Amino acid sequence: MAPRALAATLDTLPPSQADAAAPGPARLRDLYRMLANVRQLDTSAVAWQRQGLIPGYAPMLGQEAAQVGAGFAVDTTRDFVFPTYREMGVAYTLGLNMVEYMSTHKAIWHGGLYDPVASHFAPFQAVVGGSVLHAVGWAHGQTLNGASPDGLGVGLAFLGDGASSQGDVHEAMNFAAILKAPVVFFVQNNGWAISVPTEQQVAGGSVAARAAGYGMPALRIDGNDVLAVLDATQRAVAHARAGLGPVVVEAMTYRRGPHSTSDDPGRYRTLDDEKIDGGEDPLRRFRSVLVEQGVADAAFFDKTDADAQTRADEIRDGVVALESRPGSEMFNFVFQESTPTLGAQERQWREESEHV
């Protein structure tokens, strides 16, 4: 598979005044700490699945810069994130309780045990493209409620290049453009829709190119450059927050591992393909930037790596300690008010499972 171009498309979004300044040394170090923590937890989670501690996991190796950079641009006091099943790095960056987040991977609870309302991080789901519609609905609600003096709350809808081929995503982008909903469609183009390469399932050359058909601006960026991702996401969010409508951000990255822990990427690509197409490792790349700018040294990196391992071990202990939830909870969060059908299902379940 040939390397993919990284040229910007419809690059009409100016930097916001609030975010125009380049990150200072402390923020640069914070970005690297987060990258290191996300990388360590991701590789640890794969090991946990191999050890039988969790039944399944969707790795994000190689996509750390795309997720951390985007997460750093979120204002959790007013914005809302709508993830897929692979946004562990965004969740970590936003400060979610990672034991509660990982509860779904242990099959303890669907969508995570964390509080979506408090965290502004919606329950993640396995329906490809499904959360994108939710993001547009939430974002349109912000326009109906009216903007605050500081602007609108913005919905960030995460999706992959494979999901961009789903009808739900077309509907979401179409309605978002018509309604001028404050939503950013953040596409992590990691090169593969499970086993199908992007060029075999995305017509038009890129996902960003499709934005023109909806009258939306788009940014196609290097998703392995955490600073480029942060800048692009800040600009996109500022555009949407000002009431100017939705934006597409396509972060070109690469999924270095399997689609999930049940996938064997060796069936559709070789290790040489991964080395050629994967590009430079996002962490190694940013580490070089910090060294060149003189804002971090070997002692900083050693401590960061050690702290990341300690934190991953703490999360592992928390995941191991998770116990099964009461089965009756499956009926509690379906509707705001129960229905006769749901009540009948609950009664039947109790008779068969709890013998009451």
Side-chain angles (χ1 to χ4, degrees):
M1 185 170 64
R4 295 160 291 155
L6 295 173
T9 304
L10 291 177
D11 191 355
T12 60
L13 305 179
S16 68
Q17 293 182 353
D19 298 316
R27 190 163 175 81
L28 291 174
R29 288 190 290 269
D30 286 343
L31 278 166
Y32 186 86
R33 288 190 190 97
M34 191 58 67
L35 289 170
N37 276 275
V38 168
R39 168 67 62 85
Q40 184 58 59
L41 180 56
D42 182 67
T43 54
S44 295
V46 173
W48 302 344
Q49 192 277 331
R50 303 307 191 214
Q51 296 164 6
L53 299 180
I54 56 176
Y57 178 69
M60 50 159 292
L61 183 66
Q63 298 179 226
E64 296 89 353
Q67 297 199 14
V68 171
F72 259 68
V74 174
D75 181 350
T76 55
T77 66
R78 52 181 170 170
D79 301 332
F80 216 103
V81 172
F82 295 83
T84 74
Y85 45 81
R86 203 186 303 277
E87 269 68 62
M88 183 275 286
V90 183
Y92 206 131
T93 303
L94 296 185
L96 266 70
N97 182 309
M98 296 312 295
V99 174
E100 295 176 349
Y101 175 90
M102 293 297 296
S103 65
T104 297
H105 293 296
K106 193 179 178 182
I108 294 298
W109 187 240
H110 51 84
L113 285 169
Y114 57 88
D115 183 348
V117 176
S119 64
H120 285 222
F121 192 88
F124 66 91
Q125 57 172 284
V127 177
V128 178
S131 59
V132 182
L133 284 166
H134 300 165
V136 174
W138 180 90
H140 181 51
Q142 303 306 294
T143 63
L144 295 178
N145 291 336
S148 70
D150 295 328
L152 294 162
V154 177
L156 274 83
F158 285 86
L159 64 150
D161 50 296
S164 73
S165 299
Q166 294 285 332
D168 284 357
V169 173
H170 161 76
E171 294 176 16
M173 290 186 174
N174 188 54
F175 275 108
I178 291 171
L179 299 170
K180 298 192 72 172
V183 61
V184 174
F185 298 100
F186 192 94
V187 183
Q188 291 178 87
N189 188 336
N190 65 18
W192 295 91
I194 305 182
S195 60
V196 181
T198 302
E199 59 266 26
Q200 293 183 20
Q201 61 92 20
V202 174
S206 74
V207 181
R210 297 176 177 175
Y214 303 100
M216 290 188 289
L219 295 166
R220 195 170 191 232
I221 58 172
D222 185 344
N224 290 337
D225 181 344
V226 68
L227 295 179
V229 174
L230 174 59
D231 175 69
T233 311
Q234 287 175 334
R235 294 163 66 189
V237 168
H239 179 94
R241 196 180 308 288
L244 301 176
V247 183
V248 173
V249 175
E250 184 179 17
M252 306 301 289
T253 181
Y254 193 80
R255 193 196 77 215
R256 292 172 176 264
H259 173 75
S260 70
T261 48
S262 61
D263 174 39
D264 176 12
R267 298 176 62 186
Y268 50 85
R269 70 189 190 197
T270 68
L271 291 176
D272 287 338
D273 291 334
E274 294 181 14
K275 292 177 181 177
I276 294 171
D277 295 329
E280 188 176 1
D281 178 87
L283 269 74
R284 188 178 302 115
R285 178 175 179 170
F286 192 51
R287 179 172 180 150
S288 298
V289 171
L290 298 189
V291 171
E292 290 172 4
Q293 294 189 12
V295 299
D297 55 18
F300 166 80
F301 294 117
D302 289 344
K303 184 178 188 307
T304 298
D305 291 343
D307 290 345
Q309 180 65 65
T310 298
R311 180 63 184 134
D313 291 342
E314 291 172 350
I315 295 169
R316 177 189 182 278
D317 292 342
V319 170
V320 171
L322 286 172
E323 298 180 352
S324 297
R325 303 291 296 181
S328 59
E329 285 188 347
M330 75 177 81
F331 301 99
N332 294 345
F333 306 104
V334 181
F335 300 108
Q336 183 173 354
E337 297 179 3
S338 186
T339 66
T341 300
L342 184 63
Q345 292 173 344
E346 182 176 6
R347 287 191 297 273
Q348 182 179 354
W349 178 84
R350 288 185 179 279
E351 291 173 0
E352 296 177 353
S353 302
E354 298 183 345
H355 306 291
V356 295

